[in-house]
Amino acid sequence: MSDHRTVAPVGLAPAQPPAPLPDRPSLRRDVSLPALLAGLVCIAVSFSGPLVVVLAAAAAGHLDRAHTSSWIWAVSIGSGLSCLLLSWWTRTPVIAAWSTPGAALLVGSLGAYPYPEAVGAFLLSAVAVALFGATGLFGRLIRAIPVGIVNAMLAGILFTFGAGIFAELHAAPVLVLGSFTVFLLAKRLVPRYAVPLALLAGALLAAATVGLPLHLGSGGPTRPVWTTPAFSWSAAVGLALPLTIVALASQNAPGLGVMRASGYQPDDRLLVGATGGLSVLLAPFGSPGVNLAAITAAICTSPESHPDPRRRYVAGMATGVLYLLVGSFGGVLVSLFTGLPHALIAVIAGVALLASFQGSLAAAVAEERGRDGAVVTFLATASGMTLFGIGAPFWGLLLGLGTHAVLTYRHRG
């Protein structure tokens, strides 16, 4: 029998086996059921509680059904494209969404401006976010404004929603207490599904008590509505500036933090610049902005979406595809959600923003040195004041920064 073993030439060391090549990403190999389910959960969370806040903002701005549907289409398409393309390009689970705190800001401010001026403010904010992200100024801006001041402004914006849960008790006590109880129990047992379960319980209780007149509408694809932007100083200062700060400090910064906490090294210039660029394109269709997500990002970046961190990007892509599908039929969602009783919308919006409120409030007063400025910011923002046509978030920020400067400034001689 002949020996076919390879013999090394005399004077040379035996050949070493080649080092294994790193796995090349392959969508066919990397796709998994847990990753697809993680994307589905993200969509369920996004379109249950946060969408109610968007609808409340649209109602505050007196938007008709066509413009409201266009708004939902724009933020959904922007979120979907961001998730799909950025997850594929970076091979990391990039999750984008509309800014729920930003929509909450608009609830109290949008009605004070003509809609074209509001769209102009959306466009200015999107341009600012894109520039701050793409040029690397994002981190510098976040470091320049005290964290407590920014969080106090956000807590002041969200305060009304938390209080709104209990303000509706007199009108629908069974609905409110029942939904809130289900939310608390789900928060204890299955926190990921707390808001959707509260919405389901509230809908059932509404049907049994105050009524639930739901209408699904035509069911056809949404037709985006173009609004030519108009610009005014009052809208730029009262809407664009607070929206920009909320987008950068309360959305993109935590979104990057979630990714880093999961072991990823996100390129903040690419991610913030790209989502800001998409927001620029979609602003005339009603989008106040698309940002990196934090809460839903935690779902897709966790080991539950896949044990291998290199294969979790599929969850981000799945989320993007579902955003595109659901958002394309935004008119159906508008028809569905506008049939919900006001008390149910109040309680679902409140519980959906509860985590954001408590996190912002805790961060606002965490540092004793800046606590006075943070408290002034919170009170002024929560007051809902309007001065010179400019809303409370800007004045809260300005008064808080002034208080902080007066009480902490030290002359360097």
Side-chain angles (χ1 to χ4, degrees):
M1 180 180 294
S2 61
D3 188 354
H4 294 286
R5 291 177 298 176
T6 302
V7 180
V10 177
L12 297 179
Q16 298 295 323
L21 294 174
D23 288 343
R24 293 183 178 180
S26 169
L27 184 59
R28 179 181 299 179
R29 181 201 62 209
D30 294 341
V31 69
S32 65
L33 181 60
L36 298 178
L37 290 177
L40 182 61
V41 172
C42 280
I43 294 300
V45 171
S46 296
F47 283 102
S48 55
L51 182 62
V52 175
V53 183
V54 171
L55 293 175
H62 309 291
L63 301 188
D64 58 27
R65 179 166 295 186
H67 285 85
T68 302
S69 299
S70 182
W71 180 345
I72 294 174
W73 175 89
V75 295
S76 301
I77 296 301
S79 299
L81 290 175
S82 298
C83 293
L84 180 62
L85 299 179
L86 291 175
S87 294
W88 172 253
W89 182 260
T90 64
R91 294 301 195 276
T92 58
V94 179
I95 307 300
W98 56 87
S99 172
T100 307
L105 183 154
L106 294 174
V107 171
S109 306
L110 189 59
Y113 307 94
Y115 186 61
E117 291 186 10
V119 170
F122 299 165
L123 183 59
L124 291 176
S125 175
V127 170
V129 170
L131 290 176
F132 276 115
T135 60
L137 293 175
F138 168 62
R140 300 179 191 176
L141 176 67
I142 297 303
R143 289 189 294 269
I145 301 177
V147 175
I149 299 291
V150 175
N151 280 283
M153 182 188 73
L154 180 57
I157 293 169
L158 301 179
F159 171 78
T160 304
F161 291 88
I165 298 175
F166 309 101
E168 294 294 330
L169 269 173
H170 72 286
V174 174
L175 190 161
V176 173
L177 289 178
S179 301
F180 190 65
T181 300
V182 169
F183 170 78
L184 292 179
L185 292 175
K187 188 76 173 176
R188 176 68 183 270
L189 301 175
V190 282
R192 180 181 296 180
Y193 304 97
V195 175
L197 287 175
L199 176 59
L200 177 61
L204 294 175
L205 290 171
T209 55
V210 298
L212 194 63
L214 298 179
H215 303 284
L216 292 180
S218 62
T222 300
R223 294 182 178 180
V225 178
W226 173 277
T227 299
T228 301
F231 301 96
S232 68
W233 282 109
S234 60
V237 176
L239 281 183
L241 180 59
L243 278 175
T244 302
I245 294 173
V246 167
L248 293 175
S250 300
Q251 289 291 137
N252 287 317
L256 292 170
V258 168
M259 295 186 70
R260 292 191 179 106
S262 299
Y264 299 100
Q265 299 298 323
D267 183 344
D268 59 280
R269 292 191 177 191
L270 171 64
L271 301 187
V272 178
T275 53
L278 273 174
S279 299
V280 171
L281 298 177
L282 294 168
F285 299 102
S287 170
V290 173
N291 319 278
L292 296 178
I295 297 174
T296 48
I299 297 172
C300 291
T301 58
S302 70
E304 294 180 5
S305 65
H306 200 286
D308 187 351
R310 295 173 299 176
R311 300 182 180 180
R312 295 175 193 165
Y313 73 92
V314 176
M317 295 184 65
T319 303
V321 171
L322 290 173
Y323 262 131
L324 295 174
L325 290 176
V326 177
S328 296
F329 298 89
V332 177
L333 295 174
V334 172
S335 300
L336 179 64
F337 279 92
T338 50
L340 299 179
H342 183 269
L344 180 56
I345 292 177
V347 70
I348 297 304
V351 298
L353 294 169
L354 197 58
S356 297
F357 174 70
Q358 66 183 12
S360 300
L361 192 61
V365 297
E367 185 181 355
E368 184 176 358
R369 183 170 179 266
R371 195 169 293 167
D372 293 293
V375 169
V376 170
T377 301
F378 172 77
L379 293 175
T381 304
S383 71
M385 61 177 287
T386 300
L387 189 61
F388 304 121
I390 300 172
F394 169 77
W395 295 114
L397 183 67
L398 186 64
L399 292 171
L401 287 173
T403 302
H404 181 80
V406 170
L407 296 180
T408 62
Y409 175 76
R410 292 183 180 180
H411 178 69
R412 296 180 181 179

